[in-house]
């Protein structure tokens, strides 16, 4: 069964959603990350996806207190990305109780670090591939490289990466629907489990995730659709359980 990951994006200690990855287009949905994490667990979700947006831009963790509050508020496993750029950072977060760290920019800048982290912490390292027009973006999406998403994925084929979180930046936060074609193409090009991110808009996207052709995917991330009430958690979870 694919997993639906509710998302908490942190900016200034608050739960926000960005539009197209633009930090100047942030909508605050909850000023208590811990309460939001608990609410998602109470709704029946069994994983949580957290991104330290300030950390992604700064290159170091900036919302540590908010992440601590989340870990204290939920028993669900939490995957965390944003500004994690060293083995010491990875080890510190895992020691605090993070189930899985997500490495994004550093996966482009220092692929050996990803491989070392996978060796040191089996099953607990994911790679975030954020793409704009099929090309990988880094530094909190502020820079676009010339690297294709599939090329980056191929670098870690045998490294032991637990999952790839693939985000289509052009769809993120605008409820345009997941870019299924690009996501499925990536999933077919790698043996690493792929999680779809960016644009999940309604129960129709969840229905597609539950369809046979998406069985290759490990799950999808939902943010704004949940916060806006466009996606009913109970309906979405029930649909995936019946898949």
């Amino acid at each position: 069964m694919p997993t639906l990951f509710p998302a908490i994006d942190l900016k200034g200690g608050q739960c926000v959603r960005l539009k197209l990855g633009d930090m100047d287009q942030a909508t605050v949905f909850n000023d208590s990350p811990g309460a939001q994490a608990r609410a998602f667990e109470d709704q029946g979700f069994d994983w949580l996806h957290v991104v330290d947006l300030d950390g992604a831009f700064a290159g170091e963790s900036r919302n540590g207190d908010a992440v601590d509050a989340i870990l204290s508020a939920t028993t669900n496993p939490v995957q965390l990305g944003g500004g994690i750029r060293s083995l010491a950072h990875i080890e510190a977060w895992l020691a605090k109780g993070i189930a899985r760290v997500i490495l994004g920019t550093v996966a482009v800048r220092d692929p050996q670090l990803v491989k070392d982290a996978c060796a040191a912490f089996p099953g607990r390292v994911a790679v975030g591939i954020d793409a704009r027009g099929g090309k990988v973006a880094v530094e909190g999406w502020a820079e676009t490289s010339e690297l294709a998403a599939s090329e980056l994925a191929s670098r870690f084929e045998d490294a032991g990466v637990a999952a790839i979180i693939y985000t289509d930046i052009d769809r993120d936060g605008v409820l345009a629907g997941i870019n299924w074609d690009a996501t499925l193409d990536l999933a077919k090009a790698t043996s690493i489990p792929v999680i779809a991110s960016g644009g999940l808009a309604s129960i129709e996207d969840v229905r597609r995730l539950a369809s046979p052709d998406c069985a290759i995917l490990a799950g999808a991330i939902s943010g704004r659709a949940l916060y806006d009430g466009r996606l009913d958690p109970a309906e979405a979870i029930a649909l995936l359980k019946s898949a």
Side-chain angles (χ1 to χ4, degrees):
M1 182 188 90
T3 299
L4 189 61
F5 296 77
I8 293 180
D9 287 357
L10 298 169
K11 181 176 185 284
Q14 298 175 308
C15 302
V16 306
R17 296 304 295 171
L18 303 185
K19 185 177 181 180
L20 301 175
D22 186 348
M23 287 287 271
D24 293 327
Q25 296 191 67
T27 303
V28 177
F29 283 101
N30 197 326
D31 58 10
S32 174
Q36 186 62 61
R38 169 57 64 181
F40 282 141
E41 182 174 343
D42 291 345
Q43 288 167 355
F45 293 103
D46 52 15
W47 262 93
L48 185 60
H49 175 80
V50 179
V51 178
D52 179 349
L53 295 173
D54 299 304
F57 280 89
E60 60 184 16
S61 298
R62 288 290 173 86
N63 282 281
D65 289 345
V67 177
D68 289 343
I70 288 169
L71 290 171
S72 297
T74 182
T75 61
N76 280 344
V78 176
Q79 61 181 23
L80 173 69
I84 304 173
R85 308 277 172 91
S86 71
L87 273 175
H89 285 157
I90 294 166
E91 187 170 14
W93 278 123
L94 295 178
K96 277 192 170 190
I98 291 295
R100 187 158 70 192
V101 296
I102 304 166
L103 305 180
T105 295
V106 76
V108 177
R109 304 275 196 244
D110 187 2
Q112 188 59 47
L113 175 65
V114 176
K115 296 174 183 178
D116 292 344
C118 289
F121 309 106
R124 303 187 71 185
V125 177
V127 168
I129 298 182
D130 306 327
R132 182 182 285 115
K135 300 294 186 180
V136 177
V138 295
E139 306 294 348
W141 300 353
E143 299 176 22
T144 303
S145 71
E146 289 303 310
L147 192 63
S150 58
E151 184 181 347
L152 180 57
S154 70
R155 294 181 179 180
F156 305 111
E157 187 61 36
D158 299 314
V161 171
I164 288 172
I165 292 90
Y166 177 71
T167 303
D168 185 330
I169 299 170
D170 296 320
R171 298 189 181 218
D172 191 68
V174 295
L175 300 166
I178 286 173
N179 186 338
W180 294 109
D181 289 345
T183 304
L184 289 169
D185 283 348
L186 180 62
K188 291 169 186 172
T190 180
S191 64
I192 304 168
V194 172
I195 298 168
S197 175
L200 193 147
S202 68
I203 196 67
E204 291 307 314
D205 278 318
V206 179
R207 191 166 285 115
R208 179 68 194 276
L209 179 63
S211 67
D213 72 319
C214 287
I216 192 174
L217 300 178
I221 292 166
S222 179
R224 188 176 289 271
L226 284 171
Y227 290 101
D228 280 350
R230 295 169 187 259
L231 185 63
D232 177 73
E235 183 183 7
I237 291 168
L239 184 58
L240 289 176
K241 283 183 177 177
S242 67

